[in-house]
């Protein structure tokens, strides 16, 4: 067994990698284990917003909304390649929330968390503004406000990269099967494809998201009851439903809200539902009733009804929330809680949002500081994530520089690479002088060079990791192309086994 780590983290979602990154940057030795791929749980199934959460104001979640609003610009500065500002159009619906109430909520939203980069709320006349064009004529006025969109699974990969660059050991496809306290340390049994391994750590963090209770009960053997609620949400991705680059937030007659968000240039993301969930989080999927609900919700607004035949992809996720006794899933608090117990200490993470992962990691380190005398101060606030070392309005300059160095790439490819890898796009492309230098093309603009780079630098191990989490090229590759990529992975694994390389 290797020397004990200061900190072992169970879970490679946004909260686990966020804590691992923060801890490694403070000089702690860190091990992170993820049973599947990075972001294979809830952190790739979100609505992909870095947002204050306008609707949480109705539930008086002022602490959470203030922290989340402030975090928007911190994260936008840290990762301007994968996070960008988005304007949200909120049409007024006669019979639902009154105009004055929306105005009051948005006034608070504009002022609660501070705002320097993002523009303020304004009102729109939908009879004149292009945002009204795809909507039914009965919607005549709207508010337009700011939030941000994020590539959630890339955010996780970038935090993991940064954690590893600062010394953390990140092990994917590694499941923690048992964790026990012995001789002042945590003793962990880890199961990786084909072999088992032991590790020891001074502190254990349970950041297993919707598996948090399973890890407590089955891995750690802690059966103390806790009030946790699993809440599921589903999304649809359709072909692009409107031409402009703003998003819609629609109010539904049942009091819920539904987003229709421009997604990956050619698509629209619709979501989400909110319902209590029982069962294995890995088995979550969208039910036909949820699809019907979402299609009806957006068709109540768009001129052209949105149909099942418009759908190109569906996904669902589960979050673990603190059970605050709220009557419905949509009302349950989205705020996070950290539970610190015992010696050696165990810190469990409950709830949280993508938006608050950095603050959650800071709060986790503040709770753990007494166990690490002399621990250095919080550092992540001004720190860019890998590839994010450029200003929030700097993407066009980066695009121009990349296009001039790699003149053989098309404009849309350069745009995709800038928004995926930022300043690291050139690292991925290396010395390539022609399209041929990038190797086999798997479909769309995905090349062997890119896949190999993702294997080397971002723990990609399967076609699914590349197509649905390191990128969303799964939306663009045909079934045959995806199968060819799977075969390529199988062949390259085989050749690694034959040559004895790992
Ligand atoms: P996860 O991402 O689930 O990570 C936990 C990881 O632990 C998993 O990858 C799992 O494989 C691993 N694991 C479990 N057991 C073990 C074990 N024994 N050994 C090793 N690994 C293990 N937040 C926002 O800010 N904006 C949004 O727009 C937004 N939209 C959302 C929409 C929906 C439908 C849902 C469900 C959530 C949304 N959220 C949003 C919330 C956000 O997605 C979650 O709070 C966040 O992703 C949780 O991250 P996590 O790291 O705690 O959990």
């Amino acid at each position: 067994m290797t020397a004990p780590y200061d900190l072992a983290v169970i879970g490679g979602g946004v909260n686990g990698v966020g804590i691992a990154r923060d801890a490694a940057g403070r000089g702690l030795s860190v091990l992170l284990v993820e049973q599947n791929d990075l972001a294979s749980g809830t952190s790739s199934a979100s609505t992909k917003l870095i947002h204050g959460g306008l609707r949480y104001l109705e539930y008086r979640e002022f602490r959470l909304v203030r922290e989340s609003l402030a975090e928007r610009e911190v994260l936008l500065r840290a990762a301007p390649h994968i996070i960008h500002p988005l304007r949200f159009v909120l049409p007024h619906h006669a019979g639902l929330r009154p105009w004055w109430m929306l105005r009051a909520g948005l006034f608070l939203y504009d002022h609660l968390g501070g705002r320097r980069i993002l523009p303020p709320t304004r009102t729109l006349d939908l009879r004149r503004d292009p945002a009204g064009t795809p909507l039914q004529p009965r919607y005549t006025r709207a508010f337009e406000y700011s939030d941000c969109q994020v590539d959630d699974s890339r955010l996780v990969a970038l935090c993991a990269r940064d954690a590893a660059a600062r010394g953390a050991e990140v092990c994917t496809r590694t499941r923690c099967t048992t964790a026990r306290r012995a001789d002042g340390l945590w003793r962990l049994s880890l199961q990786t494809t084909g072999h088992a391994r032991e590790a020891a750590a001074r502190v254990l963090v349970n950041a297993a998201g919707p598996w948090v209770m399973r890890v407590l009960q089955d891995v750690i053997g802690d059966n103390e009851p806790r009030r946790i609620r699993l809440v599921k949400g589903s999304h649809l991705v359709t072909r692009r439903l409107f031409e402009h680059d703003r998003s819609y937030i629609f109010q539904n007659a049942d009091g819920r809200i539904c987003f229709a968000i421009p997604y990956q240039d050619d698509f629209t993301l619709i979501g989400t539902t909110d319902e209590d969930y029982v069962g294995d989080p890995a088995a979550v999927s969208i039910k036909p009733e949820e699809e019907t609900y979402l299609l009806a919700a957006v068709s109540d607004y768009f001129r052209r009804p949105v149909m099942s035949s418009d759908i190109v992809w569906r996904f669902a996720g589960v979050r673990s929330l603190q059970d605050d006794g709220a009557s419905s899933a949509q009302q349950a608090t989205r705020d996070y809680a950290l539970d610190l117990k015992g010696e050696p200490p165990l810190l469990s993470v409950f709830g949280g949002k993508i938006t608050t992962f950095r603050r959650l990691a800071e709060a986790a380190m503040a709770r753990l500081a007494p166990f690490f005398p002399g621990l250095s101060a919080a550092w992540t606030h001004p720190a860019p994530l890998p590839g994010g070392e450029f200003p929030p309005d700097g993407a066009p300059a980066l695009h121009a520089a990349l296009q001039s160095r790699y003149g053989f790439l098309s404009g849309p490819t350069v745009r995709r690479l800038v928004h995926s890898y930022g300043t690291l796009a050139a690292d991925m492309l290396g010395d390539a002088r022609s399209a041929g230098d990038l190797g086999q093309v798997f479909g769309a603009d995905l090349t062997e060079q890119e896949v190999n780079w993702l294997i080397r630098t971002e723990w990609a191990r399967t076609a699914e990791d590349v197509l649905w989490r390191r990128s969303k090229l799964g939306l663009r590759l045909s079934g045959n192309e995806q199968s060819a990529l799977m075969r390529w992975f199988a062949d390259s694994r085989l050749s690694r086994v034959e040559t004895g390389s790992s």
Side-chain angles (χ1 to χ4, degrees):
M1 186 161 52
T2 50
Y5 297 88
D6 291 323
L7 199 73
V9 181
I10 301 177
V14 75
N15 288 324
V17 293
I19 292 170
R21 171 186 182 233
D22 193 324
R26 297 184 201 224
L28 298 186
S29 61
V30 177
L31 169 71
L32 179 136
V33 292
E34 163 54 51
Q35 63 186 353
N36 190 352
D37 182 29
L38 294 169
S40 54
T42 319
S43 298
S44 56
S46 80
T47 313
K48 306 173 199 317
L49 300 179
I50 297 292
H51 64 157
L54 185 57
R55 76 181 184 85
Y56 308 146
L57 285 176
E58 285 186 325
Y59 304 121
R60 299 172 183 276
E61 297 239 31
F62 297 118
R63 193 214 74 79
L64 174 66
V65 176
R66 183 183 294 111
E67 182 173 291
S68 304
L69 286 170
E71 206 54 12
R72 295 178 306 184
E73 295 194 8
V74 176
L75 296 178
L76 182 58
R77 285 197 171 88
H81 45 337
I82 59 157
I83 298 178
H84 65 267
L86 194 59
R87 296 290 282 172
F88 286 76
V89 176
L90 168 57
H92 176 243
H93 188 309
L96 299 182
R97 293 170 189 86
W99 183 256
W100 66 263
M101 187 188 278
L102 300 178
R103 184 190 288 283
L106 285 163
F107 178 82
L108 264 184
Y109 207 69
D110 266 355
H111 292 93
L112 209 54
R115 209 174 24 77
R116 287 176 166 204
I117 304 173
L118 299 172
T121 298
R122 62 175 186 142
T123 52
L124 299 182
D125 180 347
L126 293 175
R127 289 164 300 193
R128 292 202 184 91
D129 192 283
T133 311
L135 301 184
Q136 296 174 24
R138 64 183 159 129
Y139 299 105
T140 56
R141 54 184 184 156
F143 287 101
E144 185 192 281
Y145 69 92
S146 290
D147 264 326
C148 294
Q149 187 174 34
V150 61
D151 186 331
D152 52 4
S153 47
R154 287 213 52 72
L155 178 67
V156 175
L158 295 185
C159 284
R161 275 186 81 136
D162 204 28
R166 294 170 194 278
E169 192 179 328
V170 175
C171 301
T172 62
R173 267 88 192 181
T174 304
R175 182 174 152 74
C176 182
T177 52
T178 57
R180 294 285 184 268
R181 291 179 171 100
D183 308 323
L185 290 173
W186 279 101
R187 307 273 171 188
L188 312 180
S189 305
L190 308 175
Q191 187 68 45
T192 312
T193 331
H195 74 278
R197 175 190 154 188
E198 304 285 308
R202 295 188 175 86
V203 172
L204 180 63
V205 174
N206 174 6
W211 290 267
V212 65
M213 289 306 294
R214 288 183 177 223
V215 166
L216 278 171
Q217 287 160 5
D218 304 344
V219 176
I220 295 169
D222 174 348
N223 288 309
E224 186 190 310
R226 279 180 185 77
R227 294 174 56 136
I228 289 299
R229 186 167 188 167
L230 291 184
V231 173
K232 168 192 175 183
S234 299
H235 293 86
L236 307 174
V237 175
T238 63
R239 275 180 280 277
R240 188 176 176 150
L241 298 176
F242 47 89
E243 288 311 310
H244 59 80
D245 59 1
R246 286 171 282 173
S247 173
Y248 291 102
I249 170 171
F250 296 140
Q251 308 176 66
N252 307 345
D254 61 1
R256 303 201 58 259
I257 50 111
C258 182
F259 291 102
I261 306 172
Y263 190 57
Q264 299 284 326
D265 296 329
D266 298 322
F267 305 94
T268 301
L269 174 65
I270 297 171
T272 172
T273 52
D274 245 330
E275 51 180 62
D276 286 306
Y277 182 80
V278 183
D280 181 358
V284 65
S285 65
I286 179 170
K287 289 190 301 205
E289 308 87 270
E290 291 179 274
E291 183 172 317
T292 308
Y293 173 89
L294 290 172
L295 291 175
V298 291
S299 297
D300 195 31
Y301 282 85
F302 286 120
R303 274 175 202 265
R304 189 180 77 74
V306 187
M307 324 279 275
S308 289
S309 53
D310 293 312
I311 301 171
V312 296
W313 185 41
R314 300 159 176 85
F315 63 89
V318 183
R319 43 182 142 204
S320 70
L321 298 177
Q322 307 164 67
D323 188 354
D324 56 356
S327 54
S328 71
Q330 83 191 66
Q331 288 172 349
T333 180
R334 266 50 177 167
D335 211 346
Y336 54 82
L338 300 172
D339 180 32
L340 182 63
K341 263 183 74 176
E343 277 283 345
L346 165 69
L347 184 83
S348 298
V349 176
F350 300 101
K353 297 168 60 187
I354 300 273
T355 308
T356 50
F357 86 93
R358 195 195 63 82
R359 293 296 303 271
L360 184 150
E362 280 185 345
M365 295 315 295
R367 297 292 298 276
L368 296 177
F371 302 97
F372 299 109
L375 186 72
S376 52
W379 63 275
T380 54
H381 184 284
L385 281 159
E389 301 86 351
F390 65 97
D393 60 357
L398 201 56
H399 185 120
L402 209 65
Q403 186 76 76
S404 106
R405 180 165 169 198
Y406 301 98
F408 59 90
L409 294 176
S410 73
T413 293
V414 171
R415 184 179 141 75
R416 179 177 75 78
L417 297 180
V418 166
H419 288 290
S420 302
Y421 310 128
T423 55
L424 288 173
D427 183 60
M428 187 278 279
L429 293 163
D431 295 331
R433 288 168 182 275
S434 69
D437 290 343
L438 299 178
Q440 183 179 343
V441 180
F442 294 105
D445 56 0
L446 179 66
T447 63
E448 209 168 358
Q449 173 104 347
E450 186 170 350
V451 174
N452 275 322
W453 187 79
L454 290 172
I455 292 172
R456 253 192 345 269
T457 62
E458 294 193 0
W459 300 270
R461 292 293 175 269
T462 67
E464 190 188 319
D465 299 351
V466 170
L467 294 175
W468 294 108
R469 287 184 285 274
R470 301 309 178 280
S471 78
K472 287 291 179 291
L473 289 167
L475 290 167
R476 299 186 187 276
L477 265 66
S478 69
N480 283 343
E481 289 169 336
Q482 299 196 19
S483 304
L485 182 61
M486 285 177 210
R487 279 197 301 279
W488 182 91
F489 265 98
D491 292 348
S492 58
R493 254 193 307 273
L494 198 64
S495 72
R496 277 201 301 274
V497 171
E498 280 168 359
T499 58
S501 58
S502 59

